[in-house]
Structure formats: structure tokens, C-alpha cells
Amino acid sequence: MKETGCVLLKSGALTAEDLEKINRYTRRAFQEEELYTFSVVLCDNEVDRDMERFTIPALERLGELFLGKTGIFDHAPQAQNQAARIYDCRVECLPERVTRAGEAYHRLVARAYLPRCPKNEEFILELESGIKKEVSVGCSVAEATCSICGADRRKGECGHVKGRCYDGILCCTILDHPTDAYEWSFVAIPAQREAGVIKSFTEKGERTMEEVWKSLSGEGDLVLHAEERQQLAKEVAILREQAACGRQYREALEKSVVRLCGIVSPEVPHEAMERAAQAMQLDDLQAFEKAFRKRAEQALPLTPQLAPAEQRASTENREFQI
Ligand SMILES: [Zn+2]
């Protein structure tokens, strides 16, 4: 998880288009006077304090992913904390400003709304007075590469040091192909002045396989990275092999229980015991097998004792042999 900060812009007048977009998210049609709207910069393509930056296409994609997402006061996603919803996103270019990576500065600006009601009064006041100035966003990206050599940063070090310049090019990590946008929220106390942005990522390779397995039973679309998919396929193959071994063991156990039952309780029909064994849980099967075996051994020794006894005798008497 990592974070990046953003700045709140002044609120603006509503257009008919704004209203139309907002009313896509509301249960009934809202009028302009019932709504409070404002703009936030969610993120940009500047190199941040962690020496990471988004590509411009990544900003575009994040704009799609953040549509309809609800912003909260802090990082606690309870309903009572939900404050505003994003209804429009666009990537703005400020050509006069150049990033540390030498690109024209681009930023993702979102428009958000909240209903004007007593509950929101204080929040609106805080927005207008500039108290709620910082915004943090949480998202995941599929790609994090070295800006110098293009190596996958999550597969280990490529030797290039972040923050250092190589032939005039700043080494940083390029974040691309966002896969999900989780949240955006207002931070009461800015984590950092200026840079402000607070990012929150689950990068490729950061997930443990345990988490990948868990996500299989979750809701919605599942995005698996190539490595995760390969690892998952490998684990499934191992599990299948183990399952086959388990089945073989169970079948042998069932057969043994049926056979022993035939010895200790011949009045029980073979088919009946067979059906019962098939329906038993493994630990029950083991218990029956043990009990039947014990009784069967008493009734008639199953392990031939004659041969070993003879052998034993011959070994014991070896010293007396000539
Ligand atoms: Zn590199």
C-alpha cells in the first residue's frame, strides 16, 4: 500500500450536462440548488516522493475507474463517512508545466457532488474554507517498470537507483495499466505538504497466493496477473495429484472395510456394507477398519504367523546349528 496526495479545487456552477450525469447516480432527479459540487485532482503524472509516476494513459484509465466512486472523510469506509460521489473525470494537460520526467504535466480532475443537507453543512464549510484540502486515492496497477531499462520492478532490482539520473534521464518507477480504483478520501491532516497525494496500491506480485485463492470466491471480475495465473495453475496441478492419491487411499480403505466385515459379520450383505462404506466419512472408515481388523485377527489370524515363526526359530537356533 502506498499513497499520493491531491488538491481540492474551487467548486463551480452546474451545467445541464453536470445535472444529467449526477442524476445517473441518484434515486430521484436532483435540482441544482439541492446539490453541492466541487473538483478534485485525484492524481497526476508528476514523479512523486516515492519516485513513482503514472503514465498519461494510466491517468485516463483511472478516470474511468473512479467514475461513480464515493469519497470518504477518512480511510474508514463506513456508510456514515461517505461524503461525495465522483460523477465526471477528465485528464487535463497543463502544457506550460513540465514534469521531472520531462513530460507535459497532466492531471486527473474529478467532479464530485453531495446533496446539500444539514448533515453535509459542516463538510461543505470545511471544503470551502480549505480545511479539507488533501485527497488520497487507492488503486491497483498491473505494471511497475524501471524508467531506465523497463525492467519489472516487482521482480527484483535491475541495478538502477530511483532518484538518480542516467544520461540525463531520471530513474523512477513507471506505473501503468491500472486495474482497479478502490477509494478516494479526504485527509484531515495532510500526510505530506505539497506533494500531498496519497496513493494506495496493491501492485502485481504483492498479493500472496493465499489472497489470490481468497479472491477466487469474491464478487465481481477477477484480474489475475500472468505470474499469479501460472502459480495458481501449478498449485491446482499439485492439488489434483494429491486428490488422486487421496481417492486411491480411500478406495483401498473401503475395500478393506468391506472385506473385513465379510469376515467378522458375514451376515451383513456384501452390497450393504459396500454402500455404507461409500457413504462414510474418512475418519469413520478408518475407525471401522481398525475395529473390524482387531476382531478379525481374534477370530482368525490374518497375518500368517507360521512362516515367520519358523524363520524366527531357525534364527534363534542358529548358534546351535552345525
Ligand atoms: Zn532499470
Side-chain angles (χ1 to χ4, degrees):
M1 300 291 273
K2 68 199 286 333
E3 309 196 287
T4 185
C6 284
V7 182
L8 180 79
L9 301 180
K10 65 181 193 302
S11 60
L14 278 187
T15 64
E17 203 192 336
D18 281 322
L19 266 180
E20 198 253 311
K21 282 177 178 165
I22 290 168
N23 282 322
R24 277 179 208 167
Y25 297 108
T26 56
R27 286 207 190 107
R28 63 168 176 86
F30 273 69
Q31 302 303 311
E32 184 176 355
E33 56 273 17
E34 297 178 282
L35 297 160
Y36 181 81
T37 62
F38 57 95
S39 299
V40 288
V41 175
L42 290 178
C43 42
D44 56 29
N45 65 333
E46 184 56 278
V47 181
D48 68 20
R49 66 178 191 276
D50 294 313
M51 284 294 148
E52 298 192 329
R53 69 173 175 88
F54 287 110
T55 64
I56 297 164
L59 295 179
E60 297 278 4
R61 179 69 187 129
L62 283 171
E64 293 166 12
L65 293 170
F66 270 109
L67 267 187
K69 292 276 152 61
T70 311
I72 52 178
F73 282 103
D74 47 48
H75 282 272
Q78 287 100 23
Q80 71 264 31
N81 287 325
Q82 294 188 345
R85 191 191 290 276
I86 290 174
Y87 67 92
D88 199 8
C89 282
R90 69 181 184 282
V91 174
E92 281 181 357
C93 176
L94 279 64
E96 68 281 4
R97 189 173 155 188
V98 177
T99 68
R100 290 172 71 190
E103 280 184 327
Y105 178 77
H106 285 68
R107 61 186 186 181
L108 174 59
V109 182
R111 293 279 297 169
Y113 75 89
L114 68 159
R116 282 185 188 275
C117 61
K119 192 181 123 246
N120 287 334
E121 256 171 29
E122 197 187 336
F123 178 71
I124 292 169
L125 191 69
E126 284 177 358
L127 284 176
E128 288 186 329
S129 63
I131 290 174
K132 294 213 181 300
K133 238 175 124 53
E134 309 293 328
V135 169
S136 79
V137 300
C139 63
S140 61
V141 295
E143 232 175 65
T145 51
C146 170
S147 64
I148 305 299
C149 67
D152 188 336
R153 284 283 191 195
R154 285 159 302 197
K155 281 189 176 161
E157 290 302 314
C158 59
H160 295 115
V161 181
K162 284 201 276 185
R164 211 174 269 177
C165 275
Y166 297 86
D167 291 322
I169 299 168
L170 177 69
C171 177
C172 63
T173 299
I174 300 173
L175 305 172
D176 208 355
H177 302 295
T179 53
D180 204 358
Y182 312 120
E183 62 171 348
W184 63 284
S185 53
F186 291 93
V187 192
I189 306 150
Q192 218 209 1
R193 312 233 136 257
E194 286 243 303
V197 188
I198 301 181
K199 282 184 295 189
S200 190
F201 291 91
T202 306
E203 290 175 353
K204 183 179 102 179
E206 253 184 33
R207 272 198 292 195
T208 63
M209 281 315 286
E210 195 63 35
E211 287 165 335
V212 171
W213 276 105
K214 266 188 202 157
S215 68
L216 292 178
S217 56
E219 282 178 10
D221 294 338
L222 173 66
V223 179
L224 286 179
H225 303 301
E227 282 165 49
E228 291 171 342
R229 202 185 59 225
Q230 283 160 12
Q231 187 60 30
L232 202 59
K234 218 185 277 174
E235 290 189 10
V236 169
I238 292 168
L239 287 174
R240 277 188 170 167
E241 207 181 302
Q242 289 174 341
C245 291
R247 270 196 304 275
Q248 273 179 24
Y249 168 70
R250 194 195 153 95
E251 277 166 24
L253 201 59
E254 281 175 21
K255 272 189 189 145
S256 179
V257 166
V258 173
R259 184 177 61 87
L260 290 167
C261 178
I263 296 166
V264 300
S265 304
E267 67 280 9
V268 176
H270 180 84
E271 289 75 20
M273 192 60 234
E274 220 170 40
R275 277 194 300 276
Q278 280 166 9
M280 269 184 220
Q281 296 204 341
L282 190 69
D283 46 356
D284 292 341
L285 268 176
Q286 286 168 328
F288 272 89
E289 210 259 355
K290 200 176 161 191
F292 283 170
R293 180 171 291 278
K294 207 171 163 192
R295 276 175 58 194
E297 300 241 6
Q298 286 161 357
L300 106 142
L302 293 174
T303 38
Q305 285 172 349
L306 212 58
E310 258 183 358
Q311 263 172 16
R312 207 160 48 237
S314 72
T315 315
E316 279 162 8
N317 297 332
R318 186 171 289 159
E319 55 192 302
F320 302 111
Q321 287 175 354
I322 302 164

